[in-house]
Amino acid sequence: MGMVDQLTRAADDGDATLVARLLGEGVDADAPDSEGRTALDLAVRRGHADVVRLLIAAGADPEQRTGEYQESTPLCLASMHGHTAVVRALLDAGVHTGAQGRMGHAPLVLAATTGDEGHPETVDLLLDHGAHINAVMKDRTPLDWAVWFGQVPMVQQLLDRGATPTVKTLTTAHERSERHPESRHNYERIIDALLAAAPPTHTDPTIRHAYDQETGRAPHRQTCAVGKGQLPRFRPRG
């Protein structure tokens, strides 16, 4: 086995001692192995934060292309798997939090929506390091995606961190509730959370009509100011 393959295997195994020795012997930190994967790619995927820091210190590119098809980035992989310590190591190395990789994935969206309930600690870390809470990936914000997947705790976490619900967000919740009656209770909780968190708005008749059409609820009217595209604060009857 060549030294590069030894390095990538050690990184995959989380063997920081062997990784440090091989790097000290002059193995290129970013050299791809016989399968085209780098040590950083494999260490990130496995969640070995100590190895990630060693590789970056030895010159590995923290924003390199990763994944079987070079479709991702280290931060996207770490965010998707909820490897918060690895995310911290990458952010400490100066990695940006915006859309990245050839797929244009947003690390915050990946952290918020992968797994059954997303990865709350990773989400908070990304937000604390400047990730835009209303950033758009494939025409949806992190909140929109969390609503789409019916992730009640994550929806509440994003709202608590300042995510802005819109008419589109509420419409998504209602449509998903209709299509997935087995999860209707979760979507009803999400709708209530969206309404409770909505910024004060003017009772725009167009928006109110859209609300009525999408939810089938009869809202109480309130008089307040509105921002374009923002969700009015409706109070469902009953």
Side-chain angles (χ1 to χ4, degrees), residues 19 45 74 77 87 101 130 150 192 199 215 230 234:
V19 167
R45 184 181 63 172
L77 282 180
V87 170
D192 288 342
T215 66
Q230 292 183 335
F234 290 107

Side-chain angles (χ1 to χ4, degrees), residues 93-213:
V95 174
H96 73 94
T97 59
Q100 51 198 262
R102 62 184 179 86
M103 305 295 289
H105 286 159
L108 181 60
V109 171
L110 298 176
T113 59
T114 50
D116 291 337
E117 294 294 347
H119 305 291
E121 291 184 5
T122 307
V123 166
D124 278 337
L125 181 61
L126 288 166
L127 289 171
D128 290 344
H129 281 75
H132 197 302
I133 196 161
N134 293 318
V136 174
M137 186 183 94
K138 297 183 179 179
D139 297 323
R140 295 182 188 275
T141 66
L143 179 61
D144 291 336
W145 281 113
V147 169
W148 177 272
F149 289 115
Q151 296 171 312
V152 179
M154 182 55 64
V155 167
Q156 190 62 63
Q157 179 178 354
L158 292 169
L159 290 171
D160 290 343
R161 290 299 304 257
T164 305
T166 66
V167 172
K168 177 180 179 180
T169 315
L170 180 62
T171 299
T172 297
H174 175 66
E175 289 177 346
R176 297 293 285 176
S177 175
E178 292 299 311
R179 293 178 185 177
H180 299 278
E182 73 282 358
S183 301
R184 184 163 295 165
H185 176 66
N186 284 346
Y187 285 108
E188 288 175 350
R189 292 173 61 194
I190 286 172
I191 290 169
D192 288 342
L194 295 175
L195 294 174
T201 62
H202 175 67
T203 52
D204 185 318
T206 303
I207 296 177
R208 187 170 66 249
H209 177 70
Y211 176 90
D212 291 338
Q213 291 295 106

Side-chain angles (χ1 to χ4, degrees), residues 18-99:
L18 181 53
V19 167
R21 180 171 69 79
L22 291 167
L23 291 171
E25 292 175 1
V27 180
D28 183 353
D30 265 348
D33 64 12
S34 56
E35 295 183 356
R37 306 295 285 270
T38 66
L40 183 63
D41 183 351
L42 297 172
V44 167
R45 184 181 63 172
R46 296 293 189 185
H48 302 312
D50 53 345
V51 173
V52 168
R53 290 186 182 275
L54 279 172
L55 292 165
I56 292 174
D61 179 6
E63 295 186 331
Q64 64 185 258
R65 293 291 181 90
T66 59
E68 186 177 357
Y69 303 104
Q70 302 291 293
E71 75 283 3
S72 193
T73 66
L75 187 59
C76 283
L77 282 180
S79 299
M80 178 173 62
H81 291 291
H83 296 322
T84 307
V86 172
V87 170
R88 186 180 299 278
L90 294 167
L91 294 174
D92 287 346
V95 174
H96 73 94
T97 59

